[in-house]
Amino acid sequence: MHRVLKRTLFAVAAIYAAIDAVWLSLVHFDIELFNYLAVAGAAPIFMAGSFFYSRKRHDEALSTLFAAAAFMVTFPPACNLLSYLLLTAAGPRIDVLLAHLDHDIGFDWVSLMAVAADHRALTTLLKYAYLSVIPQTLVLVFLLGWKKQLGEIYGFCLALAVGAAITLTIWALFPSFGAFSIFPLPDKVASGLGLALDTDYGAELTRMLQNGPGHISPAELRGIVGFPSYHTLQAVVLAWYARRLAFLRWPFLALNAVVLIAVPIHGGHHLVDLFGGLAVSVVAIAIVSAIIAYARRQEEVPLEWPLWLSGGMRGRPE
């Protein structure tokens, strides 16, 4: 099982990187290519570590952790870069439609932000929750490795990648940036929020859709996707793959529930962006569960010769 999943993980990361490489070879972008290559340069080292601990030391837990590390230094920057490249091929923007859908279900983003500005301490705590996704990822992968939940590590990584593929496909066809890209906030409200992503960034995203991404740097890892919310997917996937760790299950569930509350505020999202992210999460987890089930079946297939070749067995051809 582990060999199949490891190859799948490396292949998925390589596909994201290859799409970026082909696109950049065909179209000129103002990109810090050296810095991207420097980040990706760590991947072969981690892959070598994964191979060493699997084949030489026979420590599948460490091998899996190295495989996950190789994935984590390749996939996030490659996926982020791809989202910027997709700005140049995106379809018609749908933020107004999404805002109307929010209105139809009784959600008012501007009013929510006014409430957030009146509760600054709570809004600050929500910001820390919103920004906790990356630290949570590192903690979860390490603890799953410690507890030898290796299939869950592969499932977690693949769910992020599959979810990203679905999210970017939908977003490229119908781009959106969130409520903060269309609704201005009163100065009094805006100045008191201390947002992770503010309305100025929302306006910048709108300009990028019109004029292209401009300068692209691996240091710029802020999300640009509105619907479906990938931050929502990350929160759901983190909670789902922590469920087998009894000591982590409920803290992660509680923390990521708070992350979901923070997404419209600190991510500037429409509420329906969260619903989209939840739907993509369910599909991604289902796809990855099928992949893992396939890998387990492959592990169960015997490698011996068919029985009739072993001699003297019933059913041997005449």
Side-chain angles (χ1 to χ4, degrees), residues 99 101-110 112 179 264 269-272:
L101 292 175
D102 271 3
H103 180 268
D104 290 343
I105 60 177
F107 179 74
D108 186 331
W109 182 78
V110 176
L112 173 66
H269 280 277
H270 306 284
L271 184 60
V272 291

Side-chain angles (χ1 to χ4, degrees), residues 102-156:
D102 271 3
H103 180 268
D104 290 343
I105 60 177
F107 179 74
D108 186 331
W109 182 78
V110 176
S111 297
L112 173 66
M113 301 306 282
V115 172
D118 289 338
H119 298 81
R120 297 187 183 185
L122 178 59
T123 301
T124 299
L125 290 175
L126 289 174
K127 179 178 180 179
Y128 289 127
Y130 181 83
L131 296 174
S132 72
V133 169
I134 293 177
Q136 282 191 71
T137 296
L138 300 177
V139 169
L140 179 60
V141 169
F142 174 78
L143 292 178
L144 286 172
W146 178 45
K147 288 296 186 178
K148 302 297 190 292
Q149 297 283 345
L150 307 186
E152 298 298 291
I153 293 177
Y154 289 115
F156 172 68

